[in-house]
Amino acid sequence: MGAQNSQPFTVPEQEEIMAETGFSQANVLRLYQRFQALDKDEKGYLSKYDLENIGTLAVNPIGDRIINAFFQDGAVTTDFRMFARVLAHFRPVEGPGESGSINSRLNKLKFAFQLYDQDKDGKISRAEMLQVLRMMIGIQVTDEQLECITDRTIQEADKDGDDAISFEEFAKSVEKLNIEQKMSLRILK
Ligand SMILES: [Ca+2]
Ligand SMILES: [Ca+2]
């Protein structure tokens, strides 16, 4: 009775998660506590509904898209390992030598790209771009302005003229942006 509290606390699959995500032990522990706090019914997994309680996602215009990223291949729940893996994309880059890790620029870009490419055909179509722009800036502009912004965004990035943005074109178009910083949500807070 009550003996659990005297055990040293370990997170399930802690080592694997640290290796996979680059989170420190302290980070993993903090994330796990966050996970448990979100898992109000102590189910051992999170549903979309649970994730909607993350404040930074609730106020993010594409928060729904980010939430969906936790649920790959039609899953309706996310376990802690998946939770940590998705959040690792938002871990700030702490220095060189992290090129292979989940939070590298390339992986951050891939993550961002899939938030647009909802049908996963490897291209952001005009319709897909319009949807995201509507979420991000929709309330401030008219539909007509939104169509114009979409066309301009596509035109600027679309180098091969297929009226869609491939991953390469996407990466190129955001080359000058500080993706490392933009994709570093302070989700751990
Ligand atoms: Ca697509
Ligand atoms: Ca193209």
Side-chain angles (χ1 to χ4, degrees):
M1 272 212 283
Q4 297 104 311
N5 290 342
S6 61
Q7 296 282 98
F9 184 79
T10 50
V11 175
E13 299 182 292
Q14 178 171 288
E15 297 299 318
E16 291 87 341
I17 291 169
M18 283 168 62
E20 189 168 79
T21 62
F23 284 126
S24 67
Q25 190 172 353
N27 276 334
V28 171
L29 184 59
R30 203 143 60 97
L31 269 184
Y32 192 64
Q33 287 164 343
R34 190 72 204 272
F35 180 86
Q36 288 183 311
L38 289 166
D39 179 18
K40 289 199 185 60
D41 317 323
E42 297 178 34
K43 306 179 292 293
Y45 58 81
L46 300 179
S47 64
K48 286 188 186 178
Y49 178 78
D50 295 320
L51 288 178
E52 283 161 7
N53 290 315
I54 300 179
T56 42
L57 291 182
V59 299
N60 189 301
I62 57 165
D64 280 351
R65 290 283 171 96
I66 297 173
I67 288 173
N68 283 333
F70 287 89
F71 304 91
Q72 297 291 335
D73 304 321
V76 292
T77 61
T78 188
D79 62 9
F80 179 62
R81 193 164 177 174
M82 187 66 183
F83 179 75
R85 202 182 288 159
V86 173
L87 290 183
H89 290 94
F90 297 97
R91 187 167 66 82
V93 179
E94 274 151 7
E98 290 210 90
S99 59
S101 55
I102 290 185
N103 68 332
S104 67
R105 182 183 168 88
L106 180 66
N107 281 327
K108 282 178 189 286
L109 281 177
K110 282 183 180 163
F111 186 84
F113 186 79
Q114 59 146 26
L115 296 178
Y116 290 83
D117 181 21
Q118 292 284 293
D119 66 3
K120 297 186 167 64
D121 70 345
K123 286 176 182 178
I124 302 170
S125 66
R126 187 180 182 282
E128 286 170 334
M129 178 59 78
L130 183 66
Q131 281 172 9
V132 172
L133 290 176
R134 178 170 282 136
M135 285 186 258
M136 294 201 291
I137 54 175
I139 47 171
Q140 299 160 36
V141 298
T142 65
D143 277 357
E144 208 168 282
Q145 286 170 318
L146 198 61
E147 299 270 348
C148 282
I149 295 167
T150 304
D151 285 339
R152 210 169 58 218
T153 309
I154 297 270
Q155 273 165 22
E156 277 171 15
D158 180 23
K159 300 298 175 204
D160 64 5
D162 69 347
D163 209 26
I165 303 175
S166 64
F167 179 71
E168 289 68 30
E169 288 168 341
F170 179 76
K172 188 91 185 145
S173 73
V174 296
E175 207 165 42
K176 292 185 187 70
L177 295 182
N178 187 347
I179 287 296
E180 289 88 337
Q181 205 203 330
K182 280 188 192 297
M183 286 278 296
S184 297
L185 289 184
R186 289 152 73 87
I187 252 167
L188 295 175
K189 292 243 156 179

